[in-house]
Amino acid sequence: MFAYAARRILATIPLLIVATLGLFALESSVRDPVAELRVSCPRCDQVAFDRLIDLYDLDKPVLDLSNPAESRYVAWLGNVITGDFGSSTSQGENPVSDTVFTRAKNTMILAIPAFFVIASLATFLGVFSAVRQYSKTDYAITGLSFLGIAMPTFFFGLFLQVFWGIWFHDWFGMRPFFTSQMHDDSFVDLLKSITLPIVTLTLVVVATESRFIRASMLEVVHSDYIRTARAKGLSERKVIFKHALRNAMIPVVTIWALDFSALLGGSVVTESIFSWPGLGPLLLTAIFAADVNMVMAIILLISVLAIGFNLIADLLYGVLDPRIRIS
Amino acid sequence: MRTNRRLLGLLGVLLAFTLIATACGDDSETDATPTATDAPTTTAAGEDPPATTAAPATTEAPASGGTLIWAHEQEPPDMALDDPNNNLTITSWIWRAMLEGLYGIDSTTSYYPQLLDGEASIADNGDGSFTVTGALRSGLVWSDGDPLDTADILGTHAIIIEGCTTATADENADCTDAVYNLGDRTGSDMITSIEAVSDTEFSYTLNAFFAGWKGLFDRLFPSHVIGDAATANDLFPEWNLASGDPIPSSGAMIFDNWERGVAVELVRNDSYNGSTSPDAKNPGLAFVDGVRINFVVDTDAQINALKTGEAHVIMTQPQLAFGDRLGTDSNITLAASAGPVFEHWGFNLLNAHLADSNVREMLLFLLDKSEVMSALYTPLFGDLLPAEGLGGTYWLSNQPAYTNHQSDYDGSQIEAAQAKAEASGYVLGDDGIYEHPTRGRLTLRVGTTGGNGLRELQQQLIQAQMLKGGVEIVIDNVPGGAYFGERPFAEAALAASASLGAEGDPDIWDITQFAWVGGPWPGGQTVAYKSDSGDNPYGYQNADFDAKADECDSTVDEAASATCYDELDAFVTQLQADGSGLVVMPLTQKPSFYAYNSAELSQNGVSPDANNSGPLENVQDYQFG
């Protein structure tokens, strides 16, 4: 297994290089801040331009626009290998790594509980729906799932703000949750801050995952070995949870891995609506500000997370199904 | 059956969680707005008061406490306002609460003595130079208790000009090697000498008259802690001294804390010298304990934050939806003022159609500004803006010297417009669009930076108005901020303008929609029209205009100067006898829009925002209760 993991990790290196090279070429070529300043501030003197050149590291190999993109990329890659992600022009020239680390922690505060809620709820709904196939409850869950899939995240997020922040207050004179920003003065405040963003994150993902789990369960519960298990007189609970669910979850692990890595990478829409100081709004700000170093760092993190969790999913296959041998 | 029980159990757990969370979320504090005798409190839902470092209120403090929460979408990259790369509006709005200058600007976009003890005077020395003399109010102090005196005027100038050569009687200072991160030193580079006569009295000499002299020293730096330009460059971005203390303030607030991505916090300056603004309702210390600027990226979320009490003020781009979402809430007061930013269409006089003054007049006759106003602005802003639209570019509608130069064209005058077209040989085609035998079909492209919904709607309304009179307008916006560099200010377009079409490419654009900024000294507009400015995209060159502009810029008497600029405006907003002029079609001022929670704030601090000064301009006025 170790050799397999090592090979997989090595195989991700070219993938990361291709992904970051493409992004670097796009991101670093879209903006020439010095040219923009010449237009927006015609009376600016040389010190202003020098300041920009210094701020954007335009005199350094990575971002000097007079250098070819590939050589700038090589310089960036060299810095990254040594742990130097540069400084951020959109965050007061603070080190990119410090900012990303702080924001990633905030994103994790949402992502980890959200993932567990999603996984639990989606599994419950998926299994229940499959076991009660074509029942009224199944139809209800199916209908709600489609509604969840169809509903834009921003709409649901704003709806929750209005519902809990305004309507609920009008009805009961209280506001149980914060509708924006992270409040971490106490655990209760934190709980009140994370609830609505987590519910928003949960809705769409649960809707999708529950459909997937339902389909996977249906495939398994109609297989011969399940029929055999029932014929042997095992309780329905054992049949479903011990024999069917375990096999049904094998493909689900991949979905979970992708979803979890996506949550950890930050949700631009949800975090923006709830003004959550995570990676999502940071990425948005960095893109608008053409903050190449910041964009590259976040995208690299997201790429590494996606690849890493896929690897974990592959390794988990062997754990979930001993018939799958990793050679 | 068992599964049903489990489902019910799960629902029960979820319900219990909701109830617990609800119980925890009792926002009884929310409605407990502080009174004059209350201890400082907070008004956000269930939020504890932010930690502050404010000194206890002095006995003179009229503090009623509370933290004002302003939700805003834009977070500054840093606090270095003068850095041309970082000069975001939000940074300037925060600076307004912290640093004051010799003159401030009031709601009529006029200067008033801010730190000055009465007006400063300017005297002609007879040799071409002019000397400004003035006196600071006595007893001024910085928030750290250090005296604010003429040393700060000299220190501020030294920082701005450090690295420049010294200005002489004949030449302005050369600031190629200036140290302080400042884009534009216009005026400061004309100062040949500056002197502190006493702790309060000062004078400085300009090598020539500078009409915008009152705008110099619009904020003073605390020279006792910021001694040179390099230190200023180093400290301003984070607004902290090496000791970790904030840079001292002369304004009503002191910088306190910045949690990136979350909020900037200010606390009351208990040593504040008081406001002399004619707009100020409270001339003393701020009522509120502090201000928290929450960064709420999404505009809808800002509205929700205001409605839920998690913010008390928002000040954002005016949007039609605000009327529906906020106007119906009795707890929210919408307010707006005619801002200094004005929208206009500018004509490329190198275009074959637009070079003909009849066509330009035709467009004016077809444009019904009042319809644009009633469709876009009146529902939201009532009679705040002139119903007939804007008719000037040098002086704006809320300034005393304003004149509507385009009143002759008010309303939709289709017949008059078509008469102008036909006088120039245009013939109405079967499709309702005029055509000229040599210039071709009367189709004109109008462009601006895409993505601004209100502005695009404005374009579409005008497009429909023009179509009624036989002019086809094609909207040619460029996404994002690239418009300026790709259209009227493209190198080839500017070259064509400067050479009247002999060089460059005169066909890059036809009509451009810009938003420019006015102010108490309108002479800055001139660069757009002056023949040799290098910043004139219109292909407009008029020696009479140039001479008049020089005359206005050198007129010392304020009343005469105001009249002069108004006359100058007529050159570009009205058709002249020689067929020149009518280069620009002003449309409207952009309203500065804000909304505040009037259920919690008994008094708001936002003065009419004629100078884009932001919600903290009169921050000492905000009061809860």
Side-chain angles (χ1 to χ4, degrees):
Chain A
M1 183 175 289
F2 176 77
Y4 171 79
R7 276 203 308 276
R8 282 291 304 272
I9 290 168
L10 286 174
T12 62
I13 292 173
L15 189 63
L16 284 174
I17 288 175
V18 170
T20 52
L21 177 60
L23 187 79
F24 186 88
L26 284 174
E27 179 64 23
S28 63
S29 64
V30 293
R31 188 180 175 197
D32 180 351
V34 172
E36 284 178 21
L37 186 62
R38 284 190 201 287
V39 172
S40 67
C41 188
R43 293 182 190 166
C44 279
D45 47 38
Q46 189 55 43
V47 66
F49 293 103
D50 291 343
R51 153 88 178 131
L52 265 191
I53 289 166
D54 180 53
L55 175 68
Y56 283 90
D57 290 340
L58 297 178
D59 54 345
K60 293 183 180 166
V62 175
L63 297 173
D64 183 348
L65 297 176
S66 62
N67 288 341
E70 59 271 21
S71 68
R72 283 184 281 135
Y73 175 76
V74 169
W76 174 81
L77 196 60
N79 290 344
V80 167
I81 289 169
T82 60
D84 176 11
F85 287 87
S87 60
S88 164
T89 54
S90 64
Q91 298 292 318
E93 297 181 68
N94 286 321
V96 164
S97 48
D98 290 359
T99 306
V100 169
F101 181 71
T102 305
R103 295 299 193 94
K105 277 197 300 186
N106 294 340
T107 288
M108 283 169 65
I109 291 172
L110 287 186
I112 292 173
F115 175 73
F116 283 109
V117 173
I118 288 165
S120 312
L121 204 55
T123 304
F124 172 78
L125 293 174
V127 170
F128 189 86
S129 207
V131 171
R132 299 298 180 105
Q133 190 184 13
Y134 302 136
S135 67
K136 286 179 183 171
T137 316
D138 180 33
Y139 284 127
I141 292 171
T142 300
L144 289 173
S145 296
F146 286 137
L147 185 68
I149 292 166
M151 192 182 293
T153 311
F154 74 89
F155 174 82
F156 189 61
L158 291 170
F159 171 77
L160 287 178
Q161 285 183 339
V162 171
F163 182 87
W164 289 105
I166 300 169
W167 295 348
F168 195 85
H169 179 265
D170 290 346
W171 298 331
F172 302 108
M174 59 179 70
R175 293 191 178 96
F177 309 115
F178 287 112
T179 60
S180 68
Q181 297 225 313
M182 183 169 80
H183 302 261
D184 55 358
D185 294 338
S186 67
F187 180 71
V188 172
D189 273 358
L190 188 62
L191 204 60
K192 287 159 62 179
S193 298
I194 64 173
T195 304
L196 297 187
I198 285 177
V199 171
T200 306
L201 286 170
T202 300
L203 177 85
V204 177
V205 185
V206 160
T208 313
E209 281 193 5
S210 64
R211 301 304 302 158
F212 194 85
I213 292 170
R214 178 182 182 274
S216 185
M217 274 296 288
L218 283 175
E219 194 178 323
V220 173
V221 294
H222 292 121
S223 56
D224 291 343
Y225 79 92
I226 293 295
R227 194 173 302 118
T228 306
R230 284 186 174 128
K232 284 170 67 179
L234 290 179
S235 68
E236 188 64 11
R237 182 182 167 192
K238 270 193 174 175
V239 170
I240 296 298
F241 290 101
K242 189 170 179 186
H243 296 281
L245 184 58
R246 183 166 172 170
N247 282 328
M249 295 310 281
I250 293 172
V252 175
V253 166
T254 306
I255 302 293
W256 278 353
L258 288 174
D259 285 344
F260 191 43
S261 65
L263 288 170
L264 287 174
S267 162
V268 171
V269 175
T270 304
E271 290 183 356
S272 295
I273 284 175
F274 290 99
S275 308
W276 191 263
L279 287 170
L282 182 66
L283 178 61
L284 204 62
T285 305
I287 289 171
F288 283 131
D291 185 348
V292 176
N293 287 335
M294 184 63 80
V295 172
M296 293 302 297
I298 297 174
I299 295 297
L300 183 65
L301 174 66
I302 291 171
S303 305
V304 168
L305 285 170
I307 292 169
F309 277 95
N310 261 307
L311 175 61
I312 291 170
D314 287 351
L315 297 177
L316 279 176
Y317 285 161
V319 177
L320 287 168
D321 186 353
R323 292 173 303 176
I324 300 174
R325 289 285 178 265
I326 295 168
S327 57
Chain B
M1 181 66 77
R2 183 177 294 167
T3 311
N4 281 343
R5 280 204 306 273
R6 286 177 190 281
L7 176 64
L8 287 172
L10 181 72
L11 288 173
V13 169
L14 286 172
L15 184 62
F17 173 78
T18 305
L19 289 172
I20 290 166
T22 301
C24 293
D26 182 357
D27 68 341
S28 53
E29 287 169 79
T30 304
D31 298 319
T33 47
T35 66
T37 54
D38 280 341
T41 184
T42 179
T43 55
E47 183 182 327
D48 292 327
T52 66
T53 56
T58 62
T59 51
E60 295 84 17
S64 59
T67 298
L68 178 79
I69 300 177
W70 162 28
H72 192 66
E73 66 270 18
Q74 193 178 37
E75 180 176 17
D78 61 41
M79 287 288 166
L81 172 64
D82 288 331
D83 183 340
N85 187 51
N86 291 352
N87 59 352
L88 294 177
T89 307
I90 175 69
T91 319
S92 84
W93 287 353
I94 296 172
W95 272 45
R96 296 268 177 178
M98 301 191 297
L99 290 185
E100 296 193 340
L102 297 185
Y103 279 97
I105 300 172
D106 67 18
S107 57
T108 63
T109 323
S110 304
Y111 288 115
Y112 70 89
Q114 193 172 48
L115 293 175
L116 284 174
D117 185 14
E119 290 281 348
S121 62
I122 184 163
D124 187 346
N125 297 327
D127 58 356
S129 68
F130 287 76
T131 296
V132 175
T133 55
L136 293 171
R137 289 150 55 192
S138 60
L140 296 175
V141 291
W142 292 98
S143 58
D144 61 359
D146 214 79
L148 192 167
D149 54 27
T150 47
D152 295 308
I153 300 177
L154 270 60
T156 300
H157 179 66
I159 287 170
I160 289 172
I161 218 74
E162 188 178 321
C164 301
T165 60
T166 305
T168 65
D170 300 321
E171 288 192 8
N172 294 349
D174 176 3
C175 291
T176 307
D177 296 321
V179 180
Y180 180 54
N181 291 324
L182 176 66
D184 187 358
R185 290 175 171 77
T186 303
S188 294
D189 59 359
M190 297 170 69
I191 295 176
T192 55
S193 65
I194 184 165
E195 184 185 3
V197 180
S198 69
D199 283 348
T200 56
E201 295 170 306
F202 66 92
S203 70
Y204 61 86
T205 299
L206 297 156
N207 59 11
F209 180 70
F210 174 53
W213 65 272
K214 286 187 176 178
L216 299 175
F217 302 104
D218 59 347
R219 51 191 169 253
L220 297 184
F221 302 148
S223 61
H224 62 290
V225 291
I226 301 176
D228 55 44
T231 308
N233 289 340
D234 191 36
L235 298 182
F236 280 159
E238 298 299 320
W239 211 258
N240 275 322
L241 304 174
S243 63
D245 293 332
I247 292 174
S249 287
S250 57
M253 290 285 151
I254 308 170
F255 185 85
D256 182 45
N257 183 44
W258 184 355
E259 190 179 349
R260 285 192 181 275
V262 181
V264 165
E265 291 172 323
L266 312 175
V267 293
R268 183 176 53 232
N269 175 7
D270 288 321
S271 301
Y272 182 46
N273 304 295
S275 173
T276 57
S277 168
D279 304 315
K281 304 177 192 99
N282 165 28
L285 303 187
F287 288 123
V288 295
D289 293 333
V291 177
R292 180 181 164 95
I293 305 154
N294 281 346
F295 301 117
V296 178
V297 180
D298 184 77
T299 309
D300 288 306
Q302 277 182 37
I303 294 173
N304 289 340
L306 187 68
K307 289 168 79 91
T308 59
E310 288 185 34
H312 305 118
V313 181
I314 62 170
M315 186 162 190
T316 186
Q317 292 284 328
Q319 295 175 23
L320 293 176
F322 286 177
D324 298 333
R325 303 257 338 254
L326 293 173
T328 53
D329 191 327
S330 59
N331 291 329
I332 307 296
T333 296
L334 294 182
S337 59
V341 178
F342 63 97
E343 298 278 345
H344 63 279
W345 280 20
F347 301 136
N348 180 357
L349 302 183
L350 303 178
N351 175 279
H353 298 293
L354 293 168
D356 184 340
S357 61
N358 277 336
V359 174
R360 301 201 298 279
E361 278 203 284
M362 180 192 188
L363 299 183
L364 260 293
F365 277 126
L366 291 176
L367 172 66
D368 185 354
K369 294 182 189 175
S370 59
E371 186 185 73
V372 176
M373 297 305 297
S374 62
L376 293 185
Y377 294 103
T378 308
L380 255 184
F381 307 112
D383 58 0
L384 176 76
L385 302 172
E388 66 275 15
L390 187 65
T393 61
Y394 274 73
W395 297 115
L396 304 184
S397 70
N398 48 339
Q399 292 179 290
Y402 168 74
T403 305
N404 181 355
H405 289 293
Q406 296 186 335
S407 56
D408 290 347
Y409 304 101
D410 279 353
S412 175
Q413 303 179 46
I414 294 177
E415 285 180 13
Q418 293 186 328
K420 287 288 176 188
E422 285 157 18
S424 284
Y426 284 88
V427 177
L428 195 61
D430 294 338
D431 60 353
I433 304 298
Y434 274 101
E435 187 147 355
H436 192 274
T438 56
R439 300 171 196 159
R441 187 181 168 83
L442 187 43
T443 298
L444 297 164
R445 296 164 294 162
V446 62
T448 189
T449 51
N452 180 329
L454 203 62
R455 188 184 276 181
E456 287 171 357
L457 204 53
Q458 196 177 53
Q459 286 181 322
Q460 290 162 17
L461 277 171
I462 300 174
Q463 183 185 43
Q465 291 175 356
M466 298 293 167
L467 192 61
K468 285 181 192 168
V471 181
E472 184 180 49
I473 295 290
V474 176
I475 295 174
D476 177 33
N477 296 339
V478 174
Y483 174 78
F484 303 103
E486 291 183 13
R487 294 289 193 275
F489 288 100
E491 205 171 315
L494 284 175
S497 173
S499 65
L500 293 179
E503 298 170 16
D505 183 354
D507 299 323
I508 295 175
W509 63 283
D510 300 338
I511 300 174
T512 183
Q513 180 163 0
F514 277 146
W516 280 349
V517 185
W521 172 58
Q525 310 290 347
T526 299
V527 290
Y529 309 115
K530 215 170 180 185
S531 305
D532 58 354
S533 75
D535 228 13
N536 168 0
Y538 301 120
Y540 174 70
Q541 296 188 11
N542 185 328
D544 291 340
F545 175 89
D546 296 346
K548 187 75 177 176
D550 290 340
E551 178 195 328
C552 296
D553 286 345
S554 59
T555 301
V556 178
D557 181 75
E558 288 189 16
S561 169
T563 305
C564 186
Y565 282 121
D566 191 48
E567 291 167 4
L568 190 62
D569 201 5
F571 275 86
V572 291
T573 53
Q574 288 184 333
L575 190 65
Q576 303 299 300
D578 62 357
S580 69
L582 208 54
V583 185
V584 65
M585 197 162 75
L587 300 170
T588 183
Q589 279 165 270
K590 187 174 158 187
S592 295
F593 174 88
Y594 60 97
Y596 63 93
N597 189 324
S598 41
E600 297 191 33
L601 288 170
S602 62
Q603 178 168 280
N604 84 86
V606 186
S607 74
D609 191 32
N611 194 41
N612 197 25
S613 49
L616 302 185
E617 172 74 11
N618 290 297
V619 65
Q620 76 282 351
D621 285 352
Y622 287 102
Q623 189 173 23
F624 289 106

